[in-house]
Amino acid sequence: MSAKPDIVMVGAGPVNLWTAIQIKNRNPHLNIRLYERYREYQRSHVLRVEQASLLLYGKKNGTPREDSFYKDVTGKTLSQIYKMAATGAVFIRTNDLEQAEKTYATDLGIEIVYEKIADPYALMLAHPEARYFIAGDGARSLMREQLLGADSIRNFPQQYIVEAKYQAHGHAGELGFLQDHYKANKILSNMAFEYVGRERNGTTPVTLRFFVDRETYDALPEMGFKDPFPLSDPRIPEALAQDIKTYMNVRKEKAHENFCESSDRLGKLTLSCYAAKKFGIATPDRPWFLVGDAAMGVPYFRSLNAGMIIGSQLAFILTRDISDKNKVRAYNACRPLDIAWEFTSARTKNMGLKLYDAFRGVSAEVPWEVVRWDRETVRRFQTMQHPAFELKNKTRP
């Protein structure tokens, strides 16, 4: 291990890595150590990184290494990001984002130790020299629960989601939102959205999100990113399986997608707005701070972006010349503002999605609707075979 750390962090996911980078950029003299349970990132899906999230409260030093990091993540230089910060966004695989951050963090002298941390108080005993502790260990944060108790968060469910993830050979395009995507949604029983990443090493990651009702969600066995199902699993409800196959057939033809065999995975999740009761915790020993999903989460890919903004806030606060007690107070003072902004954004988007869902259903039935496929095209998309469903076709009559 390197020099004794001034700051100890639990978790080395994208948000905690970002927070560490921001702290180091603001004060290069601080020694930072991150503890991470897994050597390989456990999730592999596509995230939407808003360029504004990289800038808000962020510290930019203008070094060539910093510029190369932003280009690795967004495909753009820092100056280009500034020019389109209000609207720019990029889709990136979670493991690609994490790898870019890990490399940059290591270059800055940030230490990563692969070890599971289960007890925040034992960690403080092991690091008497550390001044601050940061928990970024996810939505089910062990650190948060032990520091604040089992009743540590307030949770507000928004939507029930089933995600189909897979890889496509070569480049995979996107369906035009007001054209093929809209037409496809009109022949589905569940509203769907697609997230297509950047091609890398000859493959492109694709995530399809289906917004389902509670009954469909509960009919599926428990399955998350650690224990997903293949799309051929016969336990998937028939109507949902038909929707996924239909949408993938549309992508196969309209987006010229070439599916990578055996790359498909299905998982489910509840999209909820939730927040810890405190972001900063003044223990009798030394203060703890929560970031990322340990602090709060919001649906529709805002969790990552909200986490990066909050991580930048924390970096700014920790590097100010004020007392530790006031740093905890300042971070907690940011909490209601962050919650108001992010929850309002998520709920507004949720309302828009519900309106779109209602509109697509109504418009599919009216006789004057012209943005639609003819019956033969619809029948073809619904009945075409797809390699991801070959086993399903054998197991179901």
Side-chain angles (χ1 to χ4, degrees):
M1 294 187 182
S2 63
K4 293 181 179 181
D6 302 296
I7 299 175
V8 174
M9 308 176 71
V10 180
V15 171
N16 233 20
L17 283 165
W18 172 260
T19 304
I21 289 167
Q22 288 299 304
I23 294 172
K24 195 72 173 178
N25 278 341
R26 288 190 175 276
N27 188 342
H29 301 295
L30 290 173
N31 293 319
I32 303 173
R33 179 178 298 165
L34 286 81
Y35 284 96
E36 170 57 42
R37 180 178 181 179
Y38 301 105
R39 287 189 174 273
E40 297 294 331
Y41 194 57
Q42 296 299 294
R43 300 190 184 190
S44 181
H45 56 272
V46 180
L47 291 174
R48 184 177 188 269
V49 180
E50 297 177 6
Q51 292 170 175
S53 303
L54 301 172
L55 304 179
L56 191 59
Y57 303 110
K59 174 65 174 176
K60 307 298 178 291
N61 294 326
T63 64
R65 180 64 186 89
E66 180 181 62
D67 212 42
S68 68
F69 165 73
Y70 284 101
K71 196 157 189 178
D72 284 343
V73 173
T74 67
K76 303 178 182 68
T77 64
L78 192 54
S79 61
Q80 290 172 326
I81 293 173
Y82 271 109
K83 289 177 182 177
M84 55 187 304
T87 57
V90 63
F91 290 100
I92 186 171
R93 308 179 208 219
T94 48
N95 38 358
D96 288 345
L97 174 60
E98 187 205 34
Q99 187 55 53
E101 289 181 316
K102 273 186 178 179
T103 304
Y104 186 30
T106 301
D107 290 347
L108 290 174
I110 297 168
E111 182 184 15
I112 302 175
V113 177
Y114 293 98
E115 179 183 336
K116 180 182 177 180
I117 302 299
D119 186 343
Y121 301 102
L123 187 65
M124 285 191 283
L125 287 174
H127 293 283
E129 74 289 340
R131 185 173 177 182
Y132 305 119
F133 294 83
I134 299 173
D137 53 335
R140 296 183 176 88
S141 170
L142 289 175
M143 303 298 105
R144 181 189 64 216
E145 183 173 336
Q146 293 186 58
L147 290 164
L148 293 177
D151 184 26
S152 62
I153 64 170
R154 293 175 180 170
N155 198 357
F156 306 92
Q158 300 291 301
Q159 292 278 6
Y160 299 98
I161 302 293
V162 176
E163 284 190 332
K165 304 175 184 179
Y166 57 92
Q167 302 284 327
H169 291 292
H171 175 73
E174 297 181 14
L175 300 180
F177 184 77
L178 296 178
Q179 291 297 319
D180 291 328
H181 172 83
Y182 173 56
K183 292 177 184 177
N185 264 282
K186 289 170 68 173
I187 63 175
L188 302 177
S189 57
N190 298 286
M191 179 174 59
F193 288 91
E194 62 180 33
Y195 305 90
V196 182
R198 289 189 294 170
E199 179 184 355
R200 184 163 182 172
N201 298 325
T203 62
T204 302
V206 180
T207 297
L208 306 180
R209 278 192 160 188
F210 293 85
F211 289 68
V212 301
D213 57 30
R214 182 66 183 268
E215 183 180 359
T216 301
Y217 185 87
D218 289 342
L220 287 162
E222 288 303 317
M223 51 182 182
F225 66 89
K226 293 181 181 178
D227 52 354
F229 288 4
L231 296 179
S232 59
D233 195 295
R235 291 173 291 179
I236 301 171
E238 187 73 44
L240 176 60
Q242 179 62 53
D243 276 356
I244 298 172
K245 182 174 73 171
T246 299
Y247 199 94
M248 291 178 71
N249 281 334
V250 173
R251 285 194 50 78
K252 181 180 179 181
E253 180 174 312
K254 298 296 184 178
H256 309 291
E257 184 171 84
N258 186 5
F259 172 76
C260 293
E261 188 175 355
S262 301
S263 67
D264 54 297
R265 296 290 183 270
L266 194 74
K268 71 175 187 177
L269 67 152
T270 303
L271 295 184
S272 301
C273 291
Y274 69 88
K277 293 181 178 179
K278 293 181 180 179
F279 284 5
I281 306 163
T283 73
D285 191 350
R286 283 154 290 171
W288 275 81
F289 302 89
L290 306 179
V291 294
D293 287 346
M296 64 181 288
V298 288
Y300 321 121
F301 292 132
R302 279 298 307 168
S303 287
L304 171 68
N305 293 284
M308 297 177 92
I309 292 171
I310 293 170
S312 296
Q313 283 178 344
L314 178 57
F316 177 83
I317 291 168
L318 290 184
T319 52
R320 298 304 92 191
D321 188 18
I322 57 177
S323 69
D324 292 350
K325 183 180 292 187
N326 283 334
K327 288 176 181 178
V328 172
R329 288 172 176 169
Y331 196 42
N332 282 326
C334 292
R335 177 182 173 276
L337 300 176
D338 292 330
I339 290 173
W341 175 263
E342 298 296 349
F343 280 26
T344 300
S345 175
R347 287 166 176 163
T348 301
K349 188 168 185 178
N350 190 43
M351 185 181 298
L353 287 172
K354 288 182 177 180
L355 289 172
Y356 174 72
D357 195 16
F359 176 76
R360 76 178 180 94
V362 171
S363 65
E365 302 298 328
V366 296
W368 58 83
E369 174 63 58
V370 295
V371 185
R372 66 169 72 193
W373 291 308
D374 58 48
R375 291 183 180 179
E376 179 57 31
T377 301
V378 171
R379 188 195 67 81
R380 186 174 74 253
F381 287 141
Q382 291 176 335
T383 59
M384 283 169 55
Q385 299 301 308
H386 194 284
F389 291 83
E390 289 180 354
L391 179 58
K392 183 179 290 293
N393 292 335
K394 294 176 183 178
T395 54
R396 281 192 171 148

